[in-house]
């Protein structure tokens, strides 16, 4: 756009996004931002991905931001569109993912009259997002877009919501140019703080690191792995941050969250020094703030995080370090003073290998055996995408996340994330194997995005685990109210037929042998492929929990 051109707000907004580096947007179209859609028509630099529901579009933007480190971009209309998309904003916040949600809004002159589908987005999204903006003057679009891009990436990454009045997007302006690209600032680590950390490690007898989270990326992964392996420091992944370092690393200790290795839990309890890098130490990672308590008596906590507002927010840190993750990790890797080495890293890794080795189970379709077969058949850098439910626990336990990024999974525990995330992954990394994992309840939250996958030629495998129940809730129900099943039984469609109806290939699987054969066939195909796994509800979780065992425990 040259300096003398006259453009409307929609055209200027798209030009500003292109200037910042946006190359893909996810949307469900609305009449409230037709000027933006018109501008995208003439913008080959940006792929416009048309989705089937705003929740799916927002999840795709979340996943795209997680993979690139740049804000994932989503456009929806006001009212119903914004409320549907709000789940993606919540996930982006809790998962520390950079995201921009643009909402077409009522005309400026209609504001506060409760016009058609009008919502006060400041009040609605204020508790969910890092920042909520409204652009009333098209001349300020470059300012607002640059600000939103910065805030979404800075410190603890997260979502920014921007309301766009329809008439503002249609108003024409002259001599307004996009601002230059904004990049995430790289905050170096304080040398004195680094020295203090090394001194604590020198004095420690049983240290452990918990890593993955805000601002974590490939460079941080590479350097922290180098540092941890050099000194033999055990490294555990925060909840659903299992690709933070390669699981093949000789110091990888496994993952925290739901159903962790009991030996890892004991190792955390016995640690005298905990080094948390990037992790918020949230409820899932710390088992309800009990595995590591906010005051952690008898333990020294070093908390490294890119956002000063997170440090000291919940946990008392003996040493708080505010730094960019890659800057911290590189400084640690290059630290040239001698540090005593530990045997604990090697020991913890052996314990994890034992934990992830599946034993035979008495089920026609053995989920642990299926994951093991997938691990042997699919590439190390396969991207595994899942929503929420007990089904995901088998991959959390038995899959080895060796590449990066290879895990797209909501720490917010949102159902319906896996299929949209897989669409985003297949578009971002068409050269890699992408797998969407879903339970039967989870799948029908956003299964409609199979249509998006087919429309854009996504090469992805869906593994759908069907036990005819909301399995996680059934597990809790059997524990608290055994044999009183209420609200958790599902009547499902023929998911294989549904995938075929969308234009994909599918197989119904009822035994482990059938799974192995179907997986081999799926590997030979391209496009959308779905394996519909029928399992017994008795097989409740990867930790070995069963319905009969819960009922027997209740009877004493």
């Amino acid at each position: 756009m040259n300096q003398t051109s006259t453009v409307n707000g929609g055209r200027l907004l798209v030009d500003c996004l292109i200037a910042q580096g946006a190359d893909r947007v996810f949307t469900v179209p609305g009449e409230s931002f037709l000027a933006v859609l018109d501008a995208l028509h003439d913008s080959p630099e940006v792929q416009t991905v048309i989705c089937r529901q705003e929740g799916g579009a927002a999840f795709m933007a979340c996943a795209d931001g997680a993979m690139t480190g740049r804000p994932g971009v989503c456009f929806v209309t006001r009212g119903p569109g914004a409320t549907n998309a709000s789940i993606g904003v919540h996930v982006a916040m809790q998962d520390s993912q950079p995201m921009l949600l643009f909402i077409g809004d009522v005309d400026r002159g209609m504001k506060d009259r409760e016009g058609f589908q009008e919502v006060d987005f400041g009040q609605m999204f204020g508790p969910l997002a890092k920042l909520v903006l409204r652009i009333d003057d098209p001349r300020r679009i470059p300012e607002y877009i640059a600000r939103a891009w910065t805030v979404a990436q800075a410190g603890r990454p997260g979502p920014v919501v921007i309301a766009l009045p329809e008439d503002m997007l249609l108003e024409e302006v002259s001599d307004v140019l996009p601002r230059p690209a904004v990049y995430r600032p790289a905050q170096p680590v304080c040398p004195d703080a680094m020295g203090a950390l090394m001194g604590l490690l020198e004095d420690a007898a049983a240290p452990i690191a918990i890593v993955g989270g805000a601002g974590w990326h490939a460079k941080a992964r590479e350097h922290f792995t180098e540092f941890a392996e050099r000194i033999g420091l055990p490294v555990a992944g925060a909840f659903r941050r299992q690709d933070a370092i390669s699981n093949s690393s000789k110091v990888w200790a496994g993952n925290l969250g739901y159903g962790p290795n009991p030996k890892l839990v004991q190792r955390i309890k016995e640690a005298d020094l905990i080094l948390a890098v990037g992790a918020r130490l949230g409820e899932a990672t710390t088992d309800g703030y009990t595995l590591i308590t906010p005051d952690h008596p008898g333990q020294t906590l070093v908390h490294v995080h890119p956002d000063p507002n997170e440090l000291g927010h919940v946990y008392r840190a003996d040493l708080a370090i505010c730094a960019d993750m890659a800057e911290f990790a590189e400084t640690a890797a290059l630290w040239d003073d001698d540090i005593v080495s530990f045997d604990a890293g090697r020991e913890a890794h052996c314990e994890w290998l034992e934990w992830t080795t599946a034993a035979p189970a008495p089920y026609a379709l053995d989920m642990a055996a299926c994951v093991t077969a997938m691990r042997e058949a699919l590439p190390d850098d396969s991207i595994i995408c899942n929503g929420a439910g007990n089904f995901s626990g088998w991959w959390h336990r038995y899959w080895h996340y060796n590449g990066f990024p290879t895990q797209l999974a909501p720490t917010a525990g949102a159902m319906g994330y896996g299929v949209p995330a897989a669409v985003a992954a297949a578009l971002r990394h068409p050269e890699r194997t992408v797998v969407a994992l879903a339970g039967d309840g989870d799948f029908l939250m956003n299964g409609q995005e199979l249509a998006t996958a087919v429309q854009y030629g996504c090469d992805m495998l869906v593994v759908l685990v069907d036990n005819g129940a909301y399995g996680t809730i059934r597990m809790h129900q059997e524990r608290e109210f055994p044999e009183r099943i209420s609200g958790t039984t599902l009547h499902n469609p023929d998911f294989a037929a549904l995938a075929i109806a969308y234009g994909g290939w599918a197989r119904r699987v009822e035994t482990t042998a059938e799974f192995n054969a179907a997986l081999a066939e799926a590997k030979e195909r391209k496009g959308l492929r779905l394996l519909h796994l029928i399992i017994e509800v008795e097989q409740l979780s990867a930790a070995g929990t069963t319905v009969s065992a819960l009922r027997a425990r209740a009877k004493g």
Side-chain angles (χ1 to χ4, degrees), residues 21-379:
D23 61 0
R24 181 170 291 125
V25 302
F26 303 94
T27 186
V28 174
E31 73 275 12
S32 56
F33 58 97
L34 288 176
V36 172
L37 294 173
D38 184 68
L40 289 168
H41 179 274
D42 298 323
S43 303
E45 308 94 324
V46 181
Q47 182 184 25
T48 303
V49 180
I50 309 303
C51 307
R52 298 309 178 98
Q53 204 260 9
E54 292 87 356
F59 279 154
M60 290 181 200
C62 289
D64 201 49
M67 288 182 286
T68 66
R70 305 189 308 271
V73 181
C74 182
F75 279 87
V76 300
T77 197
R78 56 187 178 259
T83 52
N84 283 341
S86 64
I87 180 60
V89 175
H90 183 245
V91 167
M93 190 68 216
Q94 289 223 325
D95 284 45
S96 302
Q97 295 168 341
M99 173 190 177
L100 301 184
L101 175 66
F102 291 95
I103 305 171
D105 202 2
V106 297
D107 286 0
R108 290 167 290 187
M110 298 181 186
K111 190 174 185 300
D112 298 330
R113 291 178 172 175
E114 198 182 347
F116 180 62
Q117 299 182 342
E118 182 179 4
V119 173
D120 184 329
F121 296 118
Q123 289 194 49
M124 175 181 171
F125 285 102
L128 297 180
K130 287 188 74 175
L131 180 66
V132 183
L133 302 169
R134 177 185 168 92
I135 307 177
D136 285 316
D137 181 355
R139 298 187 64 85
R140 296 185 65 186
I141 288 174
E143 170 194 343
Y144 276 106
I145 298 304
R147 180 183 177 190
W149 201 268
T150 298
V151 171
Q153 297 179 96
R156 176 186 171 185
V160 176
V161 176
I162 308 100
L164 306 170
E166 183 176 0
D167 60 325
M168 182 278 296
L169 293 172
L170 293 168
E171 183 178 331
E172 294 191 341
V173 293
S174 301
D175 302 329
V176 182
L177 293 174
R179 289 191 177 183
V182 174
Y183 299 98
R184 178 183 172 92
Q187 181 179 348
V189 62
C190 170
D192 291 341
M194 205 70 196
L197 167 60
M198 296 305 173
L200 291 171
L201 280 169
E202 185 72 28
D203 294 337
I208 191 166
I210 302 172
V211 302
W216 197 267
H217 54 76
K219 185 178 177 184
R221 182 183 200 257
E222 174 188 353
H223 290 305
F224 195 84
T225 301
E226 180 184 349
F227 165 68
E229 289 185 346
R230 177 159 62 93
I231 67 172
L233 176 68
V235 180
F239 177 53
R240 291 184 167 172
R241 308 292 193 184
Q242 289 172 248
D243 61 352
I245 75 168
S246 174
N247 296 180
S248 64
S249 169
K250 61 185 179 183
V251 294
W252 174 249
N255 59 293
L256 295 172
Y258 301 114
N261 184 353
K263 290 185 178 180
L264 174 59
V265 170
Q266 190 61 32
R267 190 174 288 277
I268 297 286
K269 290 179 178 179
E270 294 174 354
D272 58 353
L273 173 64
I274 296 171
L275 173 60
V277 186
R280 292 177 49 243
L281 298 179
E283 178 186 354
T285 297
T286 63
D287 192 17
Y289 307 99
T290 61
L291 178 58
I292 306 167
T293 64
D295 287 307
H296 49 87
Q299 293 180 315
T300 299
L301 173 65
V302 179
H303 200 175
V304 186
H305 200 276
D307 196 327
N309 294 318
E310 196 62 41
L311 296 168
H313 180 62
V314 176
Y315 279 84
R316 175 189 62 78
D318 297 284
L319 177 61
I321 300 176
C322 186
D324 176 84
M325 294 297 93
E327 293 287 323
F328 168 81
E330 184 173 16
T331 302
L334 295 174
W335 195 265
D336 56 5
D337 290 352
D338 289 336
I339 304 174
V340 63
S341 59
F342 303 94
D343 293 328
R346 176 183 54 79
E347 295 167 356
H349 186 61
C350 290
E351 291 169 356
W352 173 77
L353 287 172
E354 181 183 2
W355 174 248
T356 61
T357 301
Y363 303 110
L365 181 55
D366 178 358
M367 288 303 305
C370 290
V371 179
T372 301
M374 283 180 60
R375 202 172 74 204
E376 294 170 352
L378 301 183

Side-chain angles (χ1 to χ4, degrees), residues 415-438:
M415 296 178 72
Y417 181 92
V419 170
V423 172
L427 292 171
R428 183 59 62 186
H429 291 289
E431 77 287 358
R432 292 170 64 179
T433 297
V434 175
V435 182
L437 310 175

